[in-house]
Amino acid sequence: MPENPTVPRAEIVVDLDAVRHNVGRLREIASAERPVAMMTVVKADGYGHGMLPVARAAREAGAEWLGVATLDEALALRAGGDTGRVLCWLTVPGEDYAAAVAADVDLTAYSVAELDEIAAAVDGTPARVQVKVDTGLSRGGAARADWEAVLSRAAELEAAGTIRFTGLWSHLACADEPAHPANDAQESAFRDALALADRLGLAPEVVHLANSAAAVLRPSARFGLVRCGIASYGLDPAPGHTGDLGLRPAMTVRARLALTKPVGAGAGVSYGHTWVAPEDTTLGVVPVGYADGVLRHAGNAVSVWVDGVQRPVRGRVCMDQLVVDLGGELPPAGTEAVLFGPGDAGEPTAQEWAEACGTISYEIVSRVGGRMRRRHTGEGER
Ligand SMILES: *Cc1c(COP(=O)(O)O)cnc(C)c1O
């Protein structure tokens, strides 16, 4: 039986007005010097925000492109009714490239073998294909020694009418550290790849290098399109380097206390008794745990907002629950506990959680889920 919808045990609330605002704001920032197209990256279920509602909000805010990692994600966008340009960039041999072509998805190829496999799946309509070159991340993308072979093959397939070469792109390793020398080196390598493509007679429809951090901090990396993920969700893409970008965090995670109770000095809390009450206090049981995507590292590290005060998590995060120190207050069971949110009311932010857990906000928001419900506000508005 569904729970009473008015009192969920735990829920993720996603503000689609904030997503629309952020996409518009990022366009303003990235197009300050010259207009560039916007790709909103909605992989990993929209960084935990819900891929389809976020995709709709991004389109409403003018995103010309959506970006996803896997082909399954791209096809899910189509199944959900999205008809705009969609780029996916992480496939393995044997993927259903025919389905991708039929769904008008832009694929990304890293190798000659991948181009050939895509070409073999073409039956009439040419496949839209972009080539990704590795300019120094040493992850996906054609190794420099293979650029010429891959781009030459793309040119042949395009001349044969088998593919349409829709883009050339790469990805930065250190965009969130704007002074890191790898940024200049990668951009320079990318310009070499563009020159090579030009020499081979290729005219990519879009050329792109920048993720959120580079879109905001590195005008020279914007080219014709920027791929914005984390900043679209209102989170800082380069903490310590950005100043106020005017973004609004879209996700709030809240739960209702299952129990509150006093404990005496010396009481050990949660598994392993990694925290022992130094004096008499009161505790609240929050009914979410690591199976709901709350990192176990949050134990003894983060705070949760209860009745207008940030209360520290004590002891280990368990599979289904965690414990907060209410400092002598004894609010009733059912009282709201906000794990993180935009921060406007004084609740912790995903960025604060990330710092406390030794990770990045991306991991905090993309992991949260499990048995929590997700609810969207601002749906269908413009
Ligand atoms: C995830 C991803 C992005 C988005 O990065 P953000 O830092 O979240 O803006 C852009 N490009 C590629 C290739 C990605 O994998």
Side-chain angles (χ1 to χ4, degrees):
M1 284 294 288
E3 297 164 276
N4 177 343
T6 60
V7 284
R9 177 185 56 84
E11 65 172 354
I12 301 164
V13 185
V14 176
D15 178 0
L16 296 175
D17 286 329
V19 172
R20 280 186 287 267
H21 165 84
N22 296 331
V23 171
R25 182 74 196 112
L26 288 164
R27 178 189 296 287
E28 271 171 24
I29 294 170
S31 294
E33 289 160 5
R34 190 172 40 80
V36 297
M38 176 60 63
M39 177 186 291
T40 301
V41 179
V42 297
K43 65 190 180 187
D45 205 10
Y47 289 44
H49 295 68
M51 182 172 73
L52 291 176
V54 165
R56 284 192 289 271
R59 293 297 196 195
E60 285 161 9
E64 292 89 348
W65 288 81
L66 298 176
V68 291
T70 69
L71 184 49
D72 285 348
E73 291 173 321
L75 295 176
L77 283 171
R78 290 293 186 244
D82 190 89
T83 56
R85 297 298 288 276
V86 172
L87 175 67
C88 82
W89 52 69
L90 193 59
T91 51
V92 296
E95 298 262 10
D96 192 353
Y97 290 120
V101 177
D104 218 14
V105 169
D106 284 63
L107 293 161
T108 300
Y110 299 167
S111 67
V112 172
E114 201 174 349
L115 282 171
D116 286 343
E117 195 180 345
I118 294 168
V122 169
D123 181 15
T125 315
R128 294 181 195 273
V129 182
Q130 306 203 0
V131 167
K132 182 181 185 189
V133 289
D134 181 5
T135 53
L137 175 62
S138 307
R139 197 181 68 181
R144 188 157 193 151
D146 299 330
W147 288 359
E148 179 138 14
V150 175
L151 291 171
S152 299
R153 191 79 184 111
E156 285 165 25
L157 291 170
E158 185 166 60
T162 313
I163 71 163
R164 286 177 55 196
F165 182 70
T166 56
L168 180 56
W169 65 279
S170 189
H171 191 44
L172 295 169
C174 304
D176 58 342
E177 297 171 62
H180 198 293
N183 293 310
D184 284 341
Q186 285 199 260
E187 192 180 311
S188 157
F190 187 57
R191 290 179 192 281
D192 292 344
L194 296 179
L196 175 61
D198 190 53
R199 250 197 338 275
L200 295 169
L202 289 165
E205 177 187 342
V206 285
V207 160
H208 46 109
L209 179 63
N211 61 358
S212 297
V216 165
L217 294 172
R218 197 173 170 87
S220 62
R222 288 174 188 152
F223 296 94
L225 169 81
V226 292
R227 303 186 304 268
C228 292
I230 196 74
S232 312
Y233 305 98
L235 298 171
D236 190 339
H241 298 288
T242 44
D244 183 10
L245 298 172
L247 300 173
R248 286 165 32 197
M251 182 186 286
T252 299
V253 177
R254 54 199 284 269
R256 298 167 78 91
L257 297 178
L259 173 71
T260 58
K261 63 185 170 188
V263 291
V269 173
S270 192
Y271 291 130
H273 283 180
T274 59
W275 188 80
V276 175
E279 55 196 34
D280 292 356
T281 188
T282 52
L283 301 176
V285 176
V286 182
V288 293
Y290 60 77
D292 303 295
V294 174
L295 301 195
R296 195 161 172 276
H297 279 101
N300 287 318
V302 304
S303 293
V304 166
W305 190 83
V306 182
D307 270 350
V309 182
Q310 287 199 19
R311 299 295 189 183
V313 171
R314 300 299 197 195
R316 289 194 179 137
V317 171
C318 310
M319 185 179 286
D320 318 306
Q321 43 199 310
L322 57 85
V323 179
V324 293
D325 186 347
L326 295 171
E329 301 291 320
L330 210 54
T335 296
E336 180 186 44
V338 180
L339 283 75
F340 56 84
D344 301 337
E347 75 277 18
T349 61
Q351 178 59 31
E352 286 164 5
W353 268 52
E355 284 164 21
C357 295
T359 184
I360 52 177
S361 62
Y362 299 66
E363 188 177 15
I364 299 296
V365 292
S366 67
R367 286 242 190 152
V368 80
R371 296 158 291 185
M372 289 189 220
R373 295 193 194 175
R374 192 163 48 208
R375 178 163 66 84
H376 292 89
T377 63
E379 190 142 26
E381 291 164 21
R382 269 156 211 278

